[in-house]
Amino acid sequence: MSTHRVVCLLALAVGGSALSSCTPAIDAEGQRPPVSDVPTGTVAPAGSMAVPRSAHTATTLPDGRVLIAGGMTGGGGSAAGAELFDPRTGEFQIAGRMVTPRYSHSATVVPGLGVLIAGGYDGRGTYLQSAELYDPATGTFRALPAMTTARAGHAAVPLADGRVLLVGGVGTGWTFLASAELFDPATGAFSPTGGMAVARESHVAVRLLDGRVLVVGGHRGRQQAIELFTSTEIYDPAVGRFAPTGAMQVRRHKHDAVLLQDGRVLVTGGSDERDSRGVYSSTEIFDPVAGVFRAQASLQVPRYKHAASSVLLPDGRVLIGGGAGAAELYDPAMSRFLPVFGSDDLAGQFSATALLPGGRVLITGGYGVNPGATRNAWIYTPEGG
């Protein structure tokens, strides 16, 4: 581990300032080291899943295994079932039979119950109002009461009280949704809550340290009528309502966001209306105290279609494993992005990632340079891991 990281982590351990205020790494002449000199770990192949997948989910279970659920596979957008990755053996195996194979759904850990899998599309492209629960103890899926609204491409966030917020997306008839709902583990049912000011798809949502939920960007409309947003909203679970907060610097959709250890939110990449011809390398950070977004350093590689693929590591850095053919690392102590070496053939778009023991990260599936989804998987290993 580099010296500057040791200093920052020691400061945190003894009650010092947060990562954002740690002094950036400098050498004896007062200069930052070249990016290539900063250790960041490596990405290497990790075998293959049972089937190709994109727009699937990867969820870390309490015992360290990863549930990989759904996704598009094969021709015609058919939906995949589920499998498990065991980090102890490095092997994938088929999991129990899903009630409804699906893609563009959400998967959220519900403590004491299992993994809530909600919405999405089935193999015929039907908007799903159904939900199911995976029980790791029995390895089985069971149906739950239906959501209040059929929705796909939504965001799902676990709340501090154990409930799950599901927000936005698209519904039957390609309707853009401003609505939100809550899953209550005490009743096993869904109920409506206050809606957003703006209907959104291709947005992201992050729970803040104070328990509120930040919803960022996205779009509504299609083709010539598409409208991208700089706007953001915050949901307060105490009152069940959304309220506007500061706008982003850049209109973006198909981006990602992740909570940093100091409570700020890192927003990366995405694209403009031109989709693959307008992919961003820009990033910004939301300060929840000031309620504003500020531009940050550029990504090493432009990336998009990578929602929920950025992983906060135990040391406070962030692995950005989706949206492009190579991974990179954000170091908040240095306020910059660093290349991760090894495999540079990641599928990228609509892949799924999950944190493994020891700060490793599993990266699965997606599509990229080659058409169609891939079965391939990779593992990021931090330096010294």
Side-chain angles (χ1 to χ4, degrees):
M1 181 180 290
S2 57
T3 302
H4 84 280
R5 292 204 55 76
V6 173
V7 171
C8 287
L9 292 174
L10 284 174
L12 287 170
V14 298
S17 57
L19 284 173
S20 60
S21 61
C22 286
T23 303
I26 56 174
D27 60 20
E29 285 72 41
Q31 302 296 316
R32 285 183 174 183
V35 166
S36 60
D37 290 349
V38 180
T40 57
T42 58
V43 171
S48 299
M49 298 181 290
V51 296
R53 299 176 190 267
S54 65
H56 55 297
T57 54
T59 308
T60 304
L61 303 176
D63 63 6
R65 294 179 300 162
V66 176
L67 174 68
I68 300 162
M72 291 183 287
T73 185
S78 58
E83 56 190 289
L84 290 165
F85 175 76
D86 189 335
R88 296 166 299 184
T89 64
E91 295 180 350
F92 294 87
Q93 62 183 42
I94 299 299
R97 184 180 182 86
M98 293 181 69
V99 177
T100 304
R102 60 186 78 211
Y103 61 92
S104 296
H105 56 285
S106 61
T108 312
V109 172
V110 181
L113 286 184
V115 180
L116 170 67
I117 298 173
Y121 306 96
D122 67 10
R124 299 180 298 277
T126 303
Y127 301 87
L128 294 174
Q129 195 171 349
S130 67
E132 54 193 282
L133 189 76
Y134 175 74
D135 183 349
T138 62
T140 59
F141 295 83
R142 64 177 174 88
L144 291 170
M147 296 190 294
T148 63
T149 302
R151 64 179 77 233
H154 55 283
V157 180
L159 302 179
D161 62 7
R163 295 178 299 167
V164 178
L165 174 71
L166 300 97
V167 56
V170 289
T172 303
W174 215 270
T175 304
F176 292 87
L177 303 174
S179 66
E181 56 190 286
L182 293 166
F183 172 75
D184 188 340
T187 64
F190 295 86
S191 61
T193 188
M196 296 183 291
V198 177
R200 302 172 191 267
E201 183 199 16
S202 298
H203 55 298
V204 289
V206 176
R207 192 179 89 196
L208 304 174
L209 290 183
D210 63 8
R212 297 178 301 157
V213 176
L214 174 70
V215 180
V216 181
H219 75 261
R220 67 182 171 194
R222 283 287 181 268
Q223 297 177 346
Q224 300 302 318
I226 194 170
E227 179 184 4
L228 270 64
F229 302 122
T230 59
S231 69
T232 67
E233 309 185 38
I234 288 184
Y235 176 77
D236 187 343
V239 297
R241 291 196 297 268
F242 289 86
T245 188
M248 289 189 293
Q249 300 285 318
V250 176
R251 294 174 303 118
R252 62 181 84 227
H253 69 164
K254 303 180 181 179
H255 51 293
D256 199 13
V258 62
L259 182 71
L260 302 177
Q261 282 185 343
D262 63 8
R264 297 177 303 157
V265 177
L266 173 68
V267 180
T268 58
S271 66
D272 63 20
E273 296 91 340
R274 295 171 296 164
D275 208 49
S276 62
R277 293 179 292 111
V279 182
Y280 295 146
S281 60
S282 67
T283 73
E284 42 195 297
I285 282 185
F286 175 70
D287 180 345
V289 176
V292 298
F293 287 82
R294 297 184 177 93
Q296 296 296 300
S298 294
L299 293 161
Q300 290 282 319
V301 182
R303 57 185 74 233
Y304 80 133
K305 296 182 179 178
H306 63 299
S309 67
S310 301
V311 179
L312 179 66
L313 303 177
D315 65 5
R317 296 179 299 172
V318 175
L319 179 78
I320 303 170
E328 58 188 284
L329 204 66
Y330 177 71
D331 190 327
M334 304 176 75
S335 297
R336 60 175 171 169
F337 294 85
L338 308 167
V340 173
F341 300 103
S343 296
D344 58 0
D345 59 350
L346 307 184
Q349 282 80 60
F350 294 126
S351 59
T353 62
L355 184 64
L356 300 175
R360 297 183 301 153
V361 177
L362 176 68
I363 304 170
T364 61
Y367 67 83
V369 176
N370 298 316
T374 181
R375 298 172 55 200
N376 294 344
W378 302 262
I379 285 182
Y380 164 77
T381 302
E383 65 274 17

